[in-house]
Amino acid sequence: MHWLLLGIIALALIVVAGRHPRTAFGLFAALLAGAILMLQLSSGEKERGSALISPGDVLISRVQFKPGYAGSFDLSGRLANQASDAQIVEVVLEVQLRDCHPSDQGGARDCQVLGTESPRLVLAVPPGEARDFMVNLSFPRTQSRGEIDWTYRVIAVLGRRYRAATKQ
């Protein structure tokens, strides 16, 4: 809604600019101030939303990586919201594709990171519920010499206060 208003002001600026330059300058100042205000408000809203749910409140299960189209991979799984009073709106993951080799000592594997992606999962998950997701990942074309391994973790969560719908 706010962006629509800024668009109307911008259109008026274009129409008025030829005949009334002072009015056009005033409209330009209003447009600029409105855009700055909108950016400040939307970034503050994201900060409040990220404070509602911590990455620890998000549980990811049933994770599968499958080959996708043109060398990409499909990541699918189930995302559960363990927060008690906030709905998940968006989750950002960090996914690493690794090439692992057995170590010389026979202990832990030696893994080299081939690529990292940060997909955004945009889905509404109310408190105590879970939703399935799928996202496509594209990594640079590299040749693995050992066994392919995946790591993933939640790096950011955007939430919103949740009000359960009441029946009337």
Side-chain angles (χ1 to χ4, degrees):
M1 176 67 181
H2 297 92
W3 291 109
L4 178 65
L5 181 62
L6 290 177
I8 291 171
I9 293 172
L11 185 62
L13 173 68
I14 293 169
V15 171
V16 174
R19 294 189 182 178
H20 306 286
R22 285 189 177 175
T23 306
F25 182 74
L27 284 174
F28 177 70
L31 177 68
L32 192 59
I36 290 170
L37 182 65
M38 289 303 306
L39 288 174
Q40 290 296 326
L41 288 176
S42 64
S43 68
E45 184 177 310
K46 282 198 176 225
E47 287 174 11
R48 285 190 302 276
S50 63
L52 292 175
I53 300 178
S54 72
D57 289 333
V58 178
L59 178 66
I60 298 179
S61 60
R62 300 185 200 165
V63 175
Q64 292 183 337
F65 291 92
K66 295 181 180 177
Y69 178 74
S72 65
F73 297 91
D74 291 329
L75 164 62
S76 63
R78 188 154 182 87
L79 188 133
N81 181 0
Q82 297 181 326
S84 60
D85 62 346
Q87 173 174 314
I88 292 175
V89 176
E90 181 178 301
V91 175
V92 180
L93 302 175
E94 180 184 74
V95 181
Q96 287 187 339
L97 171 63
R98 304 184 318 164
D99 183 15
C100 295
H101 309 278
S103 69
D104 295 337
Q105 290 81 18
R109 298 185 306 169
D110 178 33
C111 297
Q112 174 187 4
V113 176
L114 298 178
T116 302
E117 285 287 320
S118 297
R120 293 183 179 276
L121 307 175
V122 180
L123 53 132
V125 185
E129 294 188 21
R131 299 284 187 271
D132 292 330
F133 69 89
M134 187 180 88
V135 65
N136 187 267
L137 306 169
S138 295
F139 291 97
R141 291 195 181 255
T142 56
Q143 197 69 14
S144 74
R145 295 189 172 102
E147 181 181 331
I148 289 183
D149 183 47
W150 297 93
T151 63
Y152 58 90
R153 67 183 181 107
V154 176
I155 58 173
V157 183
L158 182 62
R160 171 178 306 147
R161 288 269 176 233
Y162 184 72
R163 292 181 202 93
T166 57
K167 295 183 181 179
Q168 294 179 1

